[in-house]
Amino acid sequence: MQTDAADERWMRLALSLGTRALGQTAPNPAVGCVIVQGDIPVGRGWTKPTGRPHAETVALAQAGSRAKGATAYVTLEPCAHQGKTGPCTQALIKAGVARVVIAVSDPDPRVAGKGIAALKHAGIDVRENCLKDEATTAHQGFFSRLGKGRPMVTLKLASSLDGKIATPSGDSQWITNSASRAYVHMLRTKHDGILVGRRTAQLDDPDLRVRLAGLTDRSPVRIVLDSQLSLPTTLSMLNTANETPVLMCHAAGANTSEWAQTSAKLIACATDREGCIDIAQCLEHLGSYGLNRVLCEGGGTLAASLLRAGLVDQLVTFHAGVLIGNDGLGATADLGLGSLSDAPRFTLADQQVLQGDTMCRWIPNVAG
């Protein structure tokens, strides 16, 4: 029998394997699995692109006959329903594993305890909630889509020391250094979609794909908010829309005739009193599209709307050692705060120095 310390050791390995699949498995979760015989790992797996095959199937195939009598470590409760492939619970039972250690249960109503029940019914010893908190964080996007109907949102802000993202003339390339920019591209690989507003798309005409050697095929879906579809259909990202999809979120009453001739997918959204896209409903549409994790990269107006609505699940900031001054462009538009107590607050979760720039990862301060 494995000790609690050994169980946690192997589960940490399973969690690290699962992170390899982040941004590649939507609408499925990014799961990791390790099969251990005695104290020797005989099978490792993580969910493959588009969500199939599942991590357990991959690990069991690698383990082969050595899975019999082994312990399987899985970061999410194994599925118990028949989808495009058979349920992972049956695969584990058929392989003859003696024990299954699960980090967190699956809230999907098709699973939701049924996987655990099936394993126990087959006589397999099951341990639940091993590193549950870590696994909950790892599967935050999947849980958000199922529970809230929207993807997890990461907001990225890159600014000067005094919180500016451009000079008064609009010059912004480059405030942060090459190490920070590479980190942002790595962030893109961990998300299913990347979101920008109309002004960012108009001024920068960004490609928004991943530009890291060996990872260009891990580019997320590109999402642009343009309420009236006023952007030109000559945007550079449309040149590669057949390879990496482009979603245009617009007001329901916008003229779609010109954009309907492009390769972009059009998504009609509700608008607020000012005619701006209702960001909460927009995210619900993206959840229905199957996205678990969305990275927002600009601009200040979009960032402010997400913050005002309390829709930021993770804030990643980059600060460069440069000062621009009060006449520079701020990282966010007005938040409309009446008092400091109304300000959104975040707790520092991680911090790194990237060749002189400072990267900080923040999570919402639910305690207020």
Side-chain angles (χ1 to χ4, degrees):
M1 175 68 73
Q2 296 278 8
T3 64
D4 286 354
D7 279 350
E8 291 185 5
R9 169 195 172 197
W10 294 118
M11 187 59 76
R12 290 189 194 282
L13 174 58
L15 286 166
S16 71
L17 294 174
T19 61
R20 300 184 183 188
L22 284 175
Q24 304 300 301
T25 65
N28 285 359
V31 178
C33 178
V34 180
I35 310 293
V36 179
Q37 183 65 260
D39 196 39
I40 300 174
V42 294
R44 308 181 189 196
W46 54 91
T47 312
K48 295 305 178 184
T50 70
R52 296 288 189 280
H54 290 181
E56 298 94 322
T57 304
V58 176
L60 287 170
Q62 189 179 101
S65 61
R66 294 173 295 178
K68 186 174 180 61
T71 296
Y73 294 88
V74 191
T75 64
L76 185 68
E77 178 183 1
C79 63
H81 62 283
Q82 180 69 45
K84 293 181 180 178
T85 58
C88 291
T89 49
Q90 291 304 310
L92 290 164
I93 293 167
K94 184 177 179 180
V97 301
R99 185 168 177 257
V100 176
V101 180
I102 299 168
V104 65
S105 58
D106 189 340
D108 188 327
R110 297 172 299 174
V111 185
K114 298 181 182 71
I116 292 171
L119 294 171
K120 290 181 176 179
H121 182 73
I124 294 175
D125 180 30
V126 178
R127 179 189 173 189
E128 303 174 50
N129 301 326
C130 177
L131 299 185
K132 180 180 178 180
D133 290 346
E134 290 89 335
T136 299
T137 298
H139 295 299
Q140 185 178 0
F142 178 66
F143 290 170
S144 177
R145 187 174 62 79
L146 288 183
K148 301 176 183 178
R150 66 165 180 86
M152 166 192 171
V153 174
T154 298
L155 173 61
K156 183 223 79 175
L157 297 175
S159 66
S160 62
L161 289 175
D162 50 352
K164 306 300 180 181
I165 60 174
T167 65
S169 66
D171 183 18
S172 63
Q173 295 184 334
W174 295 100
I175 291 177
T176 55
N177 62 31
S178 59
S180 291
R181 297 195 294 275
Y183 192 103
V184 171
H185 280 271
M186 185 59 70
L187 266 181
R188 290 180 181 180
T189 71
K190 302 297 184 183
H191 289 76
D192 307 309
I194 178 169
L195 175 66
V196 298
R198 180 195 59 80
R199 182 174 172 81
T200 297
Q202 182 177 37
L203 294 179
D204 299 343
D205 192 18
D207 179 78
L208 297 180
R209 290 182 297 171
V210 175
R211 296 193 298 273
L212 294 178
L215 295 175
T216 55
D217 61 340
R218 297 193 56 151
S219 296
V221 170
R222 296 163 292 179
I223 310 155
V224 180
L225 268 58
D226 181 8
S227 60
Q228 297 306 312
L229 290 176
S230 59
L231 287 166
T233 55
T234 54
L235 290 179
S236 61
M237 66 179 74
L238 291 176
N239 296 329
T240 53
N242 289 325
E243 305 163 20
T244 307
V246 173
L247 309 183
M248 296 295 297
C249 298
H250 61 89
N255 183 348
T256 61
S257 57
E258 188 173 357
W259 273 93
Q261 306 304 312
T262 71
S263 299
K265 177 178 175 59
L266 304 183
I267 299 178
C269 302
T271 54
D272 59 22
R273 298 177 192 174
E274 287 74 39
C276 298
I277 289 175
D278 183 321
I279 190 62
Q281 194 206 63
C282 176
L283 288 174
E284 290 176 5
H285 281 305
L286 297 179
S288 298
Y289 189 77
L291 304 185
N292 292 325
R293 297 165 59 91
V294 168
L295 172 65
C296 176
E297 285 201 31
T301 301
L302 178 54
S305 67
L306 288 167
L307 289 165
R308 284 196 302 267
L311 295 171
V312 176
D313 301 297
Q314 179 177 244
L315 174 63
V316 180
T317 61
F318 298 84
H319 283 101
V322 61
L323 294 166
I324 292 178
N326 192 52
D327 54 350
L329 184 63
T332 72
D334 294 345
L335 294 179
L337 300 177
S339 65
L340 188 58
S341 61
D342 297 327
R345 290 186 179 271
F346 293 80
T347 298
L348 183 64
D350 184 29
Q351 185 173 10
Q352 296 182 40
V353 176
L354 302 170
Q355 294 181 3
D357 287 354
T358 302
M359 184 286 297
C360 296
R361 185 173 65 86
W362 308 80
I363 56 176
N365 186 353
V366 293

